[in-house]
């Protein structure tokens, strides 16, 4: 399952990461190399394996796993792989980019994009058009990097550093909309995404059961993500 758009995006991510590392005057330590390698491996696992086919054509639960890995470990590890001193002056960064990683902007962006892509018309359109699904994956990765930036604060001095309690509150606020959205999906009495109902049934349950499992799991996934993010912070 080699998607040319996602393959190109993966190459771009790798190239950008290597460019930042080479600009830095810091020696690259083993931890950052491991973080970068792990992020690339996880991208390959969710974009170029049968999981991607299951997520795009058969199971909402598989899509949930794909998005969890993309928005959690992948985005966090990419930022953890960056040097603290990237040789880039904060004042040289355009104001829109500095605003994009502001905690208030980032938390709104990550939830707005996630919800916007998963309303029924948008997500069904993504299931019907592979290039739109790819665009969804790319934008989710982008806003996830913005969200993680105030937590990981790479390439210091960062524009804004949150305290320990600030990071905890930031994480909790970020998970509330996704948890509520998951509950709404779980209790819906009909299939929200008809695109999943057109293919063959897998693992013995229909599209509605798959939807209920995926929706109910979001609350647990959000809690697990909060624990993981708090540990990184």
């Amino acid at each position: 399952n080699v998607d040319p758009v996602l393959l190109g995006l993966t190459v771009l991510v790798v190239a950008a990461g290597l460019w930042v590392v080479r600009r830095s005057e810091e020696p690259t330590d083993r931890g950052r190399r491991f973080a970068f390698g792990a992020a690339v491996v996880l991208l390959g696992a969710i974009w170029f394996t049968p999981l991607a086919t299951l997520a795009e054509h058969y199971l909402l639960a598989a899509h949930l796993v794909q998005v969890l890995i993309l928005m959690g470990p992948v985005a966090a590890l990419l930022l953890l792989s960056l040097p603290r001193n990237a040789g880039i002056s904060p004042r040289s960064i355009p104001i829109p980019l500095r605003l994009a990683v502001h905690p208030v902007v980032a938390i709104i962006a990550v939830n707005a994009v996630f919800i916007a892509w998963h309303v029924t018309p948008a997500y069904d359109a993504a299931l019907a058009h592979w290039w739109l699904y790819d665009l969804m994956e790319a934008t989710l990765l982008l806003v996830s990097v913005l969200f993680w930036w105030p937590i990981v604060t790479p390439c210091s001095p960062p524009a804004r550093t949150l305290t320990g309690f600030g990071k905890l509150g930031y994480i909790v606020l970020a998970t509330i909309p996704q948890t509520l959205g998951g509950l709404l999906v779980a209790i819906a009495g009909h299939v929200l995404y008809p695109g999943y109902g057109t293919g063959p049934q897998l693992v013995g349950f229909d599209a509605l059961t798959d939807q209920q499992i995926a929706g109910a799991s979001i609350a647990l996934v959000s809690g697990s993500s909060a624990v993981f993010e708090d540990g990184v912070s």
Side-chain angles (χ1 to χ4, degrees):
N1 182 38
V2 181
D3 186 311
V5 174
L6 295 181
L7 179 61
L9 181 58
T10 303
V11 172
L12 181 62
V13 168
V14 172
L18 293 177
W19 177 78
V20 172
V21 169
R22 288 176 180 175
R23 281 184 58 95
S24 173
E25 298 177 355
E26 290 183 11
T28 304
D29 60 36
R30 183 178 300 178
R32 291 206 302 268
R33 287 196 298 267
F34 175 80
F36 186 70
V40 175
V41 169
L42 286 175
L43 271 181
I46 63 174
W47 282 352
F48 311 116
T49 67
L51 176 62
T53 303
L54 290 173
E56 191 171 350
H57 300 290
Y58 297 101
L59 293 172
L60 181 60
H63 171 72
L64 174 64
V65 172
Q66 185 186 50
V67 169
L68 169 65
I69 297 173
L70 180 69
M71 300 182 71
V74 169
L77 288 168
L78 285 175
L79 293 182
L80 287 170
S81 70
L82 297 179
R84 299 297 296 174
N85 180 9
I88 302 173
S89 171
R91 293 185 178 182
S92 67
I93 301 175
I95 292 178
L97 291 181
R98 280 185 277 170
L99 288 176
V101 296
H102 187 283
V104 174
V105 176
I107 200 171
I108 292 174
V110 73
N111 280 291
V113 171
F114 179 84
I115 293 171
W117 274 116
H118 290 90
V119 296
T120 299
Y123 191 65
D124 242 15
L127 292 178
H129 302 89
W130 65 269
W131 60 269
L132 197 57
Y133 194 92
D134 289 353
L135 179 61
M136 174 180 63
E137 294 286 297
T139 53
L140 288 175
L141 177 59
L142 174 61
V143 295
S144 299
V145 168
L146 298 182
F147 169 75
W148 275 90
W149 196 283
I151 300 173
V152 180
T153 58
C155 305
S156 62
R160 179 178 293 270
T161 301
L162 296 173
T163 65
F165 284 109
K167 291 180 180 180
L168 180 60
Y170 178 76
I171 292 167
V172 171
L173 284 175
T175 61
I176 290 174
Q178 296 174 20
T179 301
L180 293 177
L183 292 175
L184 291 176
V185 170
I187 64 176
H190 61 283
V191 175
L192 296 175
Y193 309 120
Y196 282 125
T198 59
Q201 295 181 13
L202 299 181
V203 295
F205 51 80
D206 57 18
L208 182 58
T209 305
D210 169 44
Q211 176 179 295
Q212 291 169 342
I213 293 173
S217 299
I218 290 179
L220 178 61
V221 167
S222 297
S224 300
S225 298
V227 171
F228 176 76
E229 292 163 5
D230 187 40
V232 171
S233 64

